[in-house]
Amino acid sequence: MSALLLDWPAAAQAGPAVAGGKGWQLGRMACLGVPVPAGFVIAAHAGGQRQAGDAVPAAVQAALADEIARRGWQGLPLALRSSASMEDSAGASFAGIYLSRLNVRGHAAMLQAVRDIWDSAFTTQAQAYRQGLGIAAGDQAGMAVVVMPLLAAESAGIVFTCDPVSGRDDHTVIHAHWGLGEALVGGQAEGDEYRLQENRVDGSLHLVDQRLGAKARYSVPAAAGGTELRALPGQRATQPVLTPAQAIELAGIAHDAAAALDYAHGGYDLEWAWDGERYWIVQARPITARAHHTYPALAGQPAYWSRGNVREILPDPLSPLDWTLCRAMADRMLTRGYELAGYRILPGAAHAALFHGRLYLQTSLMQWEGYDALGIPPRDMNRLLGGEQPAIAVPPPALRERGARGLRLLRYLRAAGRQRRAAPAVLAHAMQQAAAWRAQPPPATLADWGTRLRARFAAVRGADDLFFLQGSGGGTLFNLVQLIDKYCPGQGHALAAALMAGGPPSVTAAQGYALLELARIAAHDGPALAWLRQPGRPGTEWARALADDSPFRQAFDAFLQRYGHRGLYETYLRSPRWREAPDYLLDQIAGLVGHDEAALRERQRRASTQAWQRVRGALPIWLRPLARQLLKAAQADSNHREAARSALAAYLEALRNDARALAPHFGGPGGLQQPDDIFNLTAAELYALAEGRLAPAAAARRAAERRARLQDWSAHTEPAVIAEHGTLPAMAATAPGPAGARAGTWQGTPVSSGQAQGRIHIAHSPADGLGMAAGDVLAVPSTDPAWTPLFLKAGALIMETGGYLSHGAIVAREFGIPAVANVPGILRQLQPGEPVQVDGTVGRIQRL
């Protein structure tokens, strides 16, 4: 092709500065397997430094004539559409500002259409629109033009993959009309509206509402070129444009196109056409304005999105397959407990979203739901969650509301009791099912792969009992803290933390004790200890390197049978499990040889005993049984929270194995470039790939684009809090700024009581902690279960993020380690090896 013209791959490669926003998006979609008609783009620079009214340059005229002839389009009616550099972008749609020309016939008419489209950039309305967005005249590059054959559309319209009017992201809205879409898009006719709702468990779409428009007139090609409005025959005007099955099919295509363009932000406005055989996407733009879908009490307040607790388990950007699961799981974890209490969650409210590729939670919703449902003050909810998000404003509760909250609390306690009693069976079933999945041989056909994947992903996204156990562990702990704080003002969190150290160990703590036992066994198994301490030993060779009768080999095998489904940052499907990559475990075991477990147990016992003596002395005698009951329930909730997480990790291991086993079917030339690219596809794309609805080459391009985007996201630091529909207020001066660094004192959230002194050991990943000496103060950005072995040696714990319910807080309390969380930025101000004192009772860190 001429350098002045771009086919779809060239347009996708050139970007919006050359192909314009519309041409770039169409080129991308064509390359990514979205049904886009054939076409090409007149490059933005083709018009040169033109003024309004200038003729089309001769070189462009010749290039167009040659390209139309080469494609055999001389006798076809064409559609030419504007494609300015910023058009159809996330910041500006330019909808209706620039011209499009449909049913263009002949070379002269095509040149006139190009000239008209170029001239539309100089209109008064275009200049006013750009000025309103603060776009300087020099920032708007030349106008590209999209050229396609005009589809013989029997029907056409628009699809919104979320509802921009209500703001619901679980709703898809389709506008449809007979004939060309011009009358509908231009507001000259009232078409049908179809509303579909997503099932978050299996991702399916269902028609929930249908409204038939008047459809009095419709747009058709005119004989002499251009279009004209005609009256629609009465019988056809009253007939639905789409059947329910067609609406579902079209919505599925639209969602696939939106995910192909941007899986992290799936809100797109797409124009479509039906030619009697298939649906085509002829334009796509991000939805630039959405209503604030929230509770009435929050309507005038910003929506605060926070990294909070999630940073500890998901510090890095999420791949598409990770987001497929986390989006549904986060919503269910955060709302299931309220539903069981009889509280009506706002339908379609998004509790989780991706910004900068990372998972954020909408803490405005979470604060309101905790307050409105159960009376938990927003500041207390923030303390449980961790993070730097502001507290929302709430009205004082009326007497009637207090009574309703009391009833819901009773319902919640009854439901939570049932869930706790059922927990052992629920957890055992999940572990057994995950083990059965892992042991099942691969399906015989690719179609069977699609069936298996659909069923397994739906089973995990629908694991409500596990989500309750994982997400609702703070209710009884909050009540215990409140009770203690009433009689020991200001000490509720610290004393509750110390009391929690005396309970039965969680699965995560038990895993830590098992590592200590492995270290003890290794110390008495000479060949095994020598192998463990061998520099550069390959961890995956442990079974071959150690004799069959080695006590350590047998014990390590049993450990992997029980805990091998876990791993570093195990919530990511792309992360290897300990069964696959045991080096980190083996390094930790070597470092734990000679460590004194008795001292750890004594520290736990002493902390719990002293705390109970203080609480017992302060509480009235009739409240002591209640305190013991709340403590027992809080310990059970925390243990169930950790056990549910372990069970979900077992499910994720099975899904990871499935994805890895499917990847080789689509590798090789023209297929996935790397085996791990399979994780850069959504679950729906995996189904489509297995069922032959997505070409391997298109899937490979989607995965490669996303791999590059993930790398770019990973190279940048994300903000702790983001505000939508408003701005962030000035944050309280509790973060460790320069003054705090000079004074050598930092204040955070106390999450595990006690005091300890030691030298700072900074670790940005679990592997960074391998050289930590016993008694050092471990300072980390956040933690997940893979960090637990380091807790066995740490004298105290400092976390930049996290709250009272974070993993690090739970396990630190179990081990009796003083811990302070939610101290953002402190790692930049501490120096490795410097001595500090950590006071987990009041949440203070002091440089010594």
Side-chain angles (χ1 to χ4, degrees):
M1 292 184 71
S2 163
L4 300 173
L5 307 179
L6 310 167
D7 60 13
W8 289 145
Q13 183 69 27
V18 176
K22 192 174 299 171
W24 177 58
Q25 299 280 40
L26 285 167
R28 288 185 63 212
M29 287 191 290
C31 294
L32 298 175
V34 177
V36 170
F40 62 90
V41 178
I42 304 172
H45 58 263
Q49 299 296 319
R50 70 185 309 277
Q51 299 294 320
D54 287 356
V56 177
V60 178
Q61 295 185 37
L64 284 172
D66 290 345
E67 185 62 22
I68 294 296
R70 187 182 72 81
R71 291 175 177 261
W73 291 357
Q74 297 96 324
L76 297 181
L78 302 177
L80 278 73
R81 294 181 168 88
S82 65
S83 184
S85 61
M86 296 184 181
E87 191 174 1
D88 292 351
S89 67
S93 68
F94 285 87
I97 301 299
Y98 300 135
L99 286 182
S100 292
R101 288 286 185 256
L102 303 183
N103 193 28
V104 176
R105 295 176 176 271
H107 184 69
M110 177 177 62
L111 296 180
Q112 184 61 48
V114 172
R115 181 177 173 180
D116 291 344
I117 291 170
W118 280 346
D119 285 351
S120 69
F122 299 96
T123 63
T124 301
Q125 67 173 5
Q127 292 172 4
Y129 186 90
R130 291 194 295 268
Q131 288 172 1
L133 293 174
I135 301 173
D139 293 339
Q140 173 67 50
M143 175 80 74
V145 179
V146 172
V147 182
M148 295 187 291
L150 180 68
L151 293 172
E154 294 187 9
S155 60
I158 307 166
V159 184
F160 296 96
T161 58
C162 64
D163 185 355
V165 177
S166 72
R168 290 187 62 161
D169 73 345
D170 65 333
H171 276 190
T172 300
V173 180
I174 300 175
H175 296 279
H177 195 20
W178 300 113
L180 301 174
E182 190 178 39
L184 183 64
V185 173
Q188 299 165 303
E190 182 188 15
D192 296 346
E193 181 180 285
Y194 303 84
R195 184 175 297 273
L196 299 96
Q197 184 167 319
E198 179 190 11
N199 181 326
R200 288 287 172 88
V201 172
D202 61 12
S204 61
L205 295 162
H206 303 275
L207 186 65
V208 294
D209 189 35
Q210 172 179 314
R211 184 187 59 78
L212 300 185
K215 301 193 293 290
R217 299 183 298 172
Y218 73 127
S219 181
V220 296
T227 62
E228 61 184 11
L229 286 173
R230 292 182 185 171
L232 195 65
Q235 181 179 4
R236 205 171 188 205
T238 59
Q239 178 185 347
V241 177
L242 300 174
T243 67
Q246 288 174 323
I248 292 171
E249 179 187 358
L250 175 57
I253 293 171
H255 276 275
D256 178 67
L261 292 171
D262 187 354
Y263 75 91
H265 300 283
Y268 268 78
D269 161 359
L270 305 108
E271 294 185 19
W272 61 273
W274 165 256
D275 65 2
E277 295 183 358
R278 66 182 300 187
Y279 292 101
W280 298 94
I281 301 299
V282 296
Q283 184 171 325
R285 61 169 72 96
I287 294 174
T288 55
R290 286 173 58 179
H292 186 188
H293 182 58
T294 192
Y295 295 93
L298 299 177
Q301 302 185 52
Y304 297 127
W305 295 91
S306 174
R307 289 285 281 146
N309 271 5
V310 297
R311 184 177 281 170
E312 68 169 357
I313 58 172
L314 293 165
D316 299 322
L318 270 67
S319 74
L321 203 55
D322 293 327
W323 178 228
T324 296
L325 285 172
C326 287
R327 178 169 170 253
M329 291 166 63
D331 268 335
R332 297 308 294 154
M333 285 181 190
L334 297 174
T335 60
R336 181 61 177 155
Y338 296 124
E339 291 174 351
L340 293 177
Y343 182 74
R344 187 175 184 271
I345 295 292
L346 179 67
H351 290 77
L354 290 189
F355 296 96
H356 309 281
R358 286 150 169 112
L359 183 66
Y360 284 73
L361 300 182
Q362 192 183 152
T363 52
S364 297
L365 288 180
M366 297 166 68
Q367 291 175 55
W368 174 254
E369 287 160 353
Y371 176 76
D372 195 36
L374 302 174
I376 302 174
R379 291 191 183 279
D380 287 340
M381 178 62 79
N382 279 347
R383 201 169 189 181
L384 291 172
L385 296 173
E388 304 167 53
Q389 64 278 355
I392 60 169
V394 295
L399 182 61
R400 182 177 178 181
E401 291 168 340
R402 288 180 184 272
R405 289 168 182 166
L407 289 174
R408 280 194 288 266
L409 181 58
L410 289 175
R411 290 193 201 101
Y412 173 81
L413 291 173
R414 286 198 297 268
R418 290 193 299 270
Q419 293 284 337
R420 276 198 298 271
R421 290 190 292 273
V426 168
L427 294 166
H429 169 75
M431 296 298 293
Q432 290 164 5
Q433 186 175 44
W437 286 0
R438 192 162 51 86
Q440 193 173 354
T445 67
L446 287 175
D448 290 340
W449 263 115
T451 301
R452 172 187 284 191
L453 291 168
R454 284 179 186 278
R456 291 187 175 181
F457 272 92
V460 176
R461 290 194 289 195
D464 273 359
D465 289 339
L466 287 181
F467 298 154
F468 174 84
L469 296 174
Q470 169 84 66
S472 300
T476 49
L477 181 57
F478 172 76
N479 291 330
L480 177 64
V481 170
Q482 293 291 91
L483 176 63
I484 296 174
D485 213 49
K486 183 176 181 180
Y487 293 93
C488 302
Q491 300 181 55
H493 283 88
L495 289 172
L499 289 173
M500 296 285 284
S506 68
V507 65
T508 310
Q511 173 184 300
Y513 294 135
L515 287 175
L516 284 172
E517 176 62 13
L518 282 170
R520 188 194 65 78
I521 293 171
H524 295 87
D525 185 340
L529 185 60
W531 180 78
L532 279 173
R533 290 175 169 172
Q534 179 182 328
R537 49 119 174 88
T540 53
E541 298 293 316
W542 66 271
R544 286 187 286 272
L546 300 173
D548 291 345
D549 60 352
S550 163
F552 175 79
R553 183 189 191 280
Q554 295 168 2
F556 189 65
D557 181 62
F559 180 93
L560 290 182
Q561 289 295 322
R562 186 171 183 181
Y563 301 111
H565 60 284
R566 313 210 72 168
L568 300 178
Y569 300 114
E570 64 196 12
T571 310
Y572 296 101
L573 286 166
R574 62 180 183 263
S575 294
R577 310 294 139 160
W578 283 338
R579 261 187 269 272
E580 307 167 50
D583 293 85
Y584 170 74
L585 279 179
L586 295 166
D587 290 341
Q588 291 291 353
I589 292 167
L592 288 171
V593 170
H595 190 71
D596 184 8
E597 181 180 347
L600 177 64
R601 299 278 193 178
E602 174 58 22
R603 181 169 57 185
Q604 293 173 285
R605 187 201 63 77
R606 185 171 59 251
S608 178
T609 301
Q610 291 174 352
W612 179 247
Q613 289 173 350
R614 174 74 177 91
V615 170
R616 188 176 184 277
L619 288 180
I621 191 170
W622 61 87
L623 287 178
R624 293 171 191 169
L626 175 61
R628 284 193 178 277
Q629 183 180 0
L630 286 173
L631 174 60
K632 183 178 180 181
Q635 289 170 335
D637 281 353
S638 290
N639 287 0
H640 289 155
R641 182 180 174 91
E642 292 296 301
R645 183 166 178 171
S646 176
L648 287 170
Y651 276 136
L652 296 182
E653 181 195 27
L655 294 180
R656 169 179 166 79
N657 291 347
D658 281 346
R660 294 176 69 214
L662 182 65
H665 292 279
F666 303 103
L672 298 176
Q673 298 171 15
Q674 301 176 11
D676 275 4
D677 272 351
I678 198 75
F679 301 112
N680 290 328
L681 301 175
T682 68
E685 289 165 349
L686 289 190
Y687 312 152
L689 191 60
E691 294 163 0
R693 294 180 288 106
L694 177 63
R701 285 190 285 270
R702 294 187 188 195
E705 266 197 17
R706 292 160 179 172
R707 180 174 4 100
R709 195 176 185 193
L710 285 164
Q711 290 170 351
D712 181 63
W713 278 331
S714 297
H716 296 87
T717 301
E718 79 281 12
V721 183
I722 291 172
E724 286 190 315
H725 309 288
T727 58
L728 283 171
M731 305 299 288
T734 55
R742 285 195 299 271
T745 301
W746 298 265
Q747 185 67 42
T749 301
V751 294
S752 184
S753 66
Q755 293 184 352
Q757 295 183 8
R759 296 190 176 278
I760 284 291
H761 184 98
I762 295 175
H764 292 278
S765 70
D768 292 342
L770 292 174
M772 184 178 69
D776 279 357
V777 174
L778 179 62
V780 300
S782 58
T783 66
D784 81 341
W787 293 80
T788 301
L790 301 178
F791 290 16
L792 299 169
K793 297 167 66 177
L797 175 66
I798 300 170
M799 297 180 286
E800 285 195 314
T801 60
Y804 212 66
L805 291 180
S806 64
H807 163 79
I810 290 173
V811 179
R813 287 193 290 268
E814 287 194 87
F815 288 161
I817 301 170
V820 179
N822 205 27
V823 198
I826 192 171
L827 296 192
R828 295 192 302 271
Q829 299 171 22
L830 293 171
Q831 296 299 318
E834 69 172 319
V836 298
Q837 181 181 61
V838 177
D839 190 334
T841 304
V842 298
R844 184 179 300 120
I845 302 118
Q846 185 169 358
R847 179 180 283 128
L848 300 177

